[in-house]
Amino acid sequence: SAVISQKPSRDICQRGTSLTIQCQVDSQVTMMFWYRQQPGQSLTLIATANQGSEATYESGFVIDKFPISRPNLTFSTLTVSNMSPEDSSIYLCSVIRRTQGANVLTFGAGSRLTVL
Amino acid sequence: GQQLNQSPQSMFIQEGEDVSMNCTSSSIFNTWLWYKQDPGEGPVLLIALYKAGELTSNGRLTAQFGITRKDSFLNISASIPSDVGIYFCAGQSPFGGSNYKLTFGKGTLLTVNP
């Protein structure tokens, strides 16, 4: 199965600041996905990061708030900009991996952000 | 957009008991997935279902893809303390092309008392 490493694993941030989360995958992948998991909520797709093109954002998420980089096929970053307490969430990087005979979404351990 | 209703929200059971949770949707899905999330970790895939009516087991876990393609359930038999965690159902849109999306339920928090 895929090894997906995220940094930081957790952080406490001040309102108004920005934080960049890194995601490193152990093999090349075409697409990398960024999800948000708000407290007590389900996972929501923020955007899909493709190497060599701009990220594709889901409804309700914009590039100015969540800029994404995808410099190569094994790495991506998500920045949470101008943070407010409402941005306190777990941010999860994911890729598609062959599991149980099919292509399924595999997640990193997540980055837990608390905004004060 | 598509929404999944997952129930129950939480369960408190004794070790050894069986557990059942389910998800329903107003939309049809091509695939149903069940994930488990341990504290401080990302969700890990437990079972994937690809055909309406499919019943699949993975150890003490059994899951079914509803005939209508709008629902799925997960059963855990003879629960043990390490079953504690949050269980998520997820429905998968058809895969192909440049996009791949899952719609997640809100999760079922399972607590197992030894």
Side-chain angles (χ1 to χ4, degrees):
Chain A
S1 59
V3 174
I4 305 171
S5 302
Q6 282 188 238
K7 289 195 295 188
S9 58
R10 58 179 62 232
D11 207 340
I12 299 174
C13 309
Q14 296 299 318
R15 181 196 298 261
T17 63
S18 299
L19 183 79
T20 295
I21 302 166
Q22 300 179 4
C23 180
Q24 178 75 51
V25 188
D26 63 346
S27 60
Q28 294 183 343
V29 292
T30 305
M31 293 181 285
M32 296 177 75
F33 306 91
W34 287 99
Y35 277 81
R36 181 176 72 181
Q37 184 180 15
Q38 294 177 300
Q41 300 296 316
S42 63
L43 287 75
T44 303
L45 181 63
I46 297 171
T48 303
N50 299 301
Q51 195 268 339
S53 63
E54 275 200 7
T56 304
Y57 288 82
E58 297 301 308
S59 175
F61 298 96
V62 295
I63 188 171
D64 289 347
K65 177 67 177 177
F66 297 102
I68 286 172
S69 79
R70 184 78 202 274
N72 58 54
L73 290 173
T74 63
F75 187 80
S76 178
T77 68
L78 170 76
T79 299
V80 187
S81 303
N82 188 25
M83 288 184 284
S84 65
E86 292 71 33
D87 294 319
S88 298
S89 293
I90 301 173
Y91 293 86
L92 294 149
C93 172
S94 62
V95 301
I96 297 169
R97 272 289 185 265
R98 193 83 180 163
T99 304
Q100 299 182 15
N103 294 323
V104 294
L105 208 58
T106 302
F107 291 89
S111 300
R112 181 184 295 270
L113 301 189
T114 302
V115 185
L116 303 177
Chain B
Q2 296 171 318
Q3 290 188 341
L4 291 182
N5 298 310
Q6 185 171 351
S7 64
Q9 279 189 314
S10 61
M11 301 182 74
F12 298 85
I13 63 171
Q14 294 297 126
E15 183 177 0
E17 290 182 354
D18 296 342
V19 172
S20 184
M21 59 193 79
N22 70 84
C23 276
T24 60
S25 171
S26 57
S27 305
I28 291 173
F29 288 105
N30 286 354
T31 301
W32 282 94
L33 306 167
W34 285 92
Y35 287 85
K36 182 193 178 195
Q37 185 176 28
D38 290 326
E41 300 293 328
V44 174
L45 182 69
L46 298 174
I47 289 182
L49 303 157
Y50 302 104
K51 284 192 261 190
E54 180 180 356
L55 182 71
T56 297
S57 293
N58 179 7
R60 292 178 297 106
L61 306 178
T62 302
Q64 184 157 32
F65 191 149
I67 288 290
T68 65
R69 297 169 65 188
K70 294 183 179 180
D71 63 296
S72 177
F73 71 74
L74 174 71
N75 288 341
I76 305 173
S77 62
S79 59
I80 59 178
S82 62
D83 289 334
V84 165
I86 304 176
Y87 292 80
F88 290 98
C89 63
Q92 182 175 320
S93 298
F95 177 68
S98 60
N99 208 356
Y100 181 104
K101 297 181 185 179
L102 288 182
T103 302
F104 283 84
K106 289 193 174 181
T108 296
L109 174 62
L110 179 63
T111 303
V112 180
N113 295 318

